[in-house]
Every structure is written in C-alpha cells, then in structure tokens.
Amino acid sequence: MTFTNVFMACAAFALTWLAGIWFIPFLHKLKYGQTILDIGPKWHKEKKQGTPTMGGIMFIIAVFVSFLCGMILFGAFGGADMNGTDRPELIRSAAGLVMAVLFGFMGFLDDFIKVKKHHNEGLTVMQKIVIQVLIIAAYFATLYVSGCARTTVTFPWGWQLDMGLLYYPIMGVIILYLVNAVNLTDGIDGLCSSVTAVYMASFAVISSMLGMFGETLLALCTAGACIGFLMWNFPPAKVFMGDTGSMFLGGVVCAVGVGCGCEVLMIIAALIYILEALSVVIQVTVFKITKKIHHTKEGKRLFKMTPIHHHFELSGWSEVKIDAVFSAFALVLGAAAVLLSRIMFG
C-alpha cells in the first residue's frame, strides 16, 4: 500500500465525518426522515421513525473525490503508466466506481420517492431489477470495449477456468444478488458500514499484494468513508445511509472483487451479505411450503424475523452486539480470503 492510498483513505474518512456536521441538519431541514416499516421490530418505528435518510450521499462524494485525487496524484508522481501496463487495471477500478455510483443513484431515486410520499415503498421490484441489470450490462460493456475484460475465474490452489461468454451472465447474476444482499444488511444502526469497512480492508490487502493500485485505492477509500459514516451511524444512529448508500456499497463490494479477478475470494469475504439475503429466501420458502402442506393461512417461520440480524435482535441482542459479532465474523472471512489469495497467487 502506497502513502497515496493511505492518505486518501484518511481523506475519505475525514470528508465523510465532517460532512455530517452540515449535511445531517440539512436533511432535518428538508424533513427527509426515514419511514419505518410496520413489519419490522416494533421499537424501530418508535425510536427510529423520522431519522434522516440518504446519508449515503456523504460517503459517496467522499469516496469519489478521494479516489479521483488519488488517481491524479499517483499519475502525477509517476506511480503508474496510464497509457501502458497499468491502464487495464486502472480502467477496471474506475469503471467499478462508476458502476457503484450508478447503483447509488438508483438508491437515491428509491429513497427520494419514499420520503416524498412518506411511506416505505419507492421503486417497484421490477423497476429496480431492470435498472440494476442495465447498470451491470453497461459495466461489462465498458470493460469489453476498452479491452480490459477478462473471463477467467481463479479458484483456490491456482486452478483457473475460462468461462468465455458465459462469464458475463453468471457474474451478472452474482453481482445482482450481492448488491441487493448488501442492501438487506443495512437493517440496524452501524451494521452495513462496519461490516463493509472490514470487507474493504480485506480486499485492500489482497489487491495490494497483487500490485493493483486502483483497486487498493478504491477499497481503502471506501473503508475510510465507512468508518467516517459510522461516527454518525453508530447506535443510536443520527442518520441512515438509505438505499442511496447501501446500493453504492453493494456496487463497490462487487467492483473490487471482480476488478481484482478474485471472484471466488469475493464470495468468501462477502459471506455475511450472502447469508443475510439467503435467510430471507429460506424464511419465505419455509413459510410458503408449510402453509401449503398444513392448509393454513399462516405458515411456519424458521427465524423470528429476517434478514437474520433481526432474528438476533428479537432474541435480545443489542444493535452494538450484533454489529460487533457480525464484524468479527466478517474479519474471519476476510482473513481467510487473504490467506487463500496467498495460495492462489503466490
């Protein structure tokens, strides 16, 4: 990791933290408060109703500015050959950031509709899927046209599989799942930002070992911004990131994994997000099957509530405890991904 990377990570942290001093009162003034769903834990509606949302704008701007400045400084001091061997990797990292920003913009539209209509229904599910698929397609098209695309997946112990054109639909589905899984993880104060900070720190180590400046910069800037946002989002939260922030973070989670050519490691390090979304799928499936088998209006629930962090919340865990345990699990997963990267890439 270069001094530029670390400095820009600190800059992203400072920009996000300081932005809250002005931006949170601004959101209060606009009355952009979160409308809490009735189906969630009852104390959420009592304690969190009206908390400003769209706070993700704070760290999106911080990451974008810090990343751009880092790229400029790196090139200015001769750290990279912008037109030579470093070009593909830098394009992949920049394209990944743009993809994440577009996901964030879609989340902003969703949040904006919610706060304007004063309910928790923004874009429809189909509208979200269509927009997300178009964003993913644009990302892959950019890499392909610029000559920076790759379709080979590396597995542990160095085994490689060239998937050819099948890479794009398969990886597209994985990105679609992961982006929405990160969004589901943003259900209690501090959870998504803390888990994502750990994930990004892990991938900063992996990309640094691979000599990928752009991916390391993007991961570190996002990690720094997440910690900066946590200063305002730690329980009890003074602001929520909203879909604006969680969709952006989902985009970056995928951008650094795919950009590094570490898709398998991405899945390992992102297991927290995957399990969060999978718990919802399992809950709905069990509910529908038992409802049909027993011919009742209500089916059985495997968990008290999903995503899974709500199950632990209803089991008596505090938000701080959930944040700590999930972050510790993310750290174990990240460490495993780092160790596997040493085996895979030497």
Side-chain angles (χ1 to χ4, degrees):
M1 296 182 193
T2 67
F3 171 77
T4 302
N5 280 328
V6 176
F7 179 77
M8 285 303 131
C10 293
F13 164 80
L15 286 172
T16 306
W17 187 14
L18 294 173
I21 298 173
W22 166 80
F23 194 65
I24 295 173
F26 177 69
L27 290 173
H28 273 293
K29 185 177 180 180
L30 293 177
K31 301 186 186 302
Y32 280 6
Q34 178 75 45
T35 300
I36 306 298
L37 282 170
D38 290 323
I39 60 174
K42 62 181 181 180
W43 55 85
H44 279 204
K45 195 171 185 66
E46 295 169 359
K47 297 181 180 180
K48 300 177 186 289
Q49 181 80 14
T51 301
T53 188
M54 297 192 206
I57 293 173
M58 294 156 53
F59 58 74
I60 292 175
I61 294 174
V63 171
F64 189 86
V65 171
S66 300
F67 179 84
L68 182 61
C69 290
M71 293 286 272
I72 293 172
L73 287 173
F74 192 59
F77 288 104
D81 181 3
M82 297 296 187
N83 297 310
T85 56
D86 295 317
R87 181 175 176 272
E89 191 267 322
L90 296 176
I91 288 177
R92 281 193 291 268
S93 59
L97 176 57
V98 172
M99 175 180 69
V101 170
L102 290 175
F103 278 127
F105 181 70
M106 190 208 76
F108 170 79
L109 292 177
D110 194 42
D111 285 334
F112 187 77
I113 293 171
K114 291 174 185 176
V115 297
K116 280 298 182 182
K117 292 186 176 180
H118 300 290
H119 59 60
N120 212 290
E121 296 178 3
L123 297 171
T124 66
V125 173
M126 186 53 64
Q127 286 173 333
K128 291 178 182 179
I129 292 176
V130 170
I131 295 172
Q132 289 170 350
V133 168
L134 290 175
I135 292 171
I136 295 168
Y139 168 65
F140 282 133
T142 300
L143 297 183
Y144 185 83
V145 170
S146 62
C148 302
R150 54 185 170 208
T151 57
T152 299
V153 176
T154 303
F155 293 86
W157 292 277
W159 179 55
Q160 293 186 322
L161 174 64
D162 188 350
M163 301 177 67
L165 292 178
L166 282 175
Y167 174 89
Y168 298 107
I170 292 174
M171 194 51 56
V173 170
I174 292 174
I175 292 175
L176 186 67
Y177 180 96
L178 267 180
V179 169
N180 288 287
V182 174
N183 177 246
L184 287 172
T185 306
D186 181 37
I188 61 174
D189 300 354
L191 182 59
C192 190
S193 46
S194 57
V195 169
T196 304
V198 174
Y199 174 94
M200 291 300 162
S202 303
F203 257 93
V205 174
I206 293 171
S207 56
S208 179
M209 290 192 303
L210 294 174
M212 296 182 175
F213 171 82
E215 304 298 346
T216 306
L217 177 63
L218 180 56
L220 279 177
C221 286
T222 307
C226 283
I227 297 172
F229 185 73
L230 199 55
M231 299 297 102
W232 301 103
N233 188 236
F234 190 81
K238 296 178 178 61
V239 66
F240 298 144
M241 66 174 68
D243 285 359
T244 305
S246 59
M247 295 301 294
F248 170 80
L249 292 181
V252 182
V253 163
C254 297
V256 295
V258 174
C260 289
C262 300
E263 293 86 352
V264 174
L265 298 181
M266 174 183 72
I267 292 172
I268 293 171
L271 191 58
I272 285 272
Y273 308 122
I274 293 170
L275 293 177
E276 285 272 36
L278 187 60
S279 68
V280 177
V281 175
I282 293 172
Q283 183 88 319
V284 172
T285 302
V286 170
F287 183 86
K288 288 184 176 180
I289 290 175
T290 53
K291 178 181 177 182
K292 187 175 183 180
I293 291 175
H294 298 294
H295 303 289
T296 57
K297 292 182 179 180
E298 291 288 328
K300 291 186 177 181
R301 290 177 170 83
L302 188 61
F303 307 106
K304 293 181 179 180
M305 185 176 290
T306 56
I308 193 68
H309 57 258
H310 286 318
H311 171 83
F312 293 109
E313 191 178 12
L314 290 174
S315 297
W317 289 27
S318 69
E319 290 182 313
V320 174
K321 182 177 180 179
I322 295 171
D323 291 346
V325 172
F326 276 49
S327 296
F329 185 33
L331 183 60
V332 171
L333 294 170
V338 170
L339 290 174
L340 279 174
S341 70
R342 295 295 299 271
I343 297 173
M344 292 166 61
F345 303 106

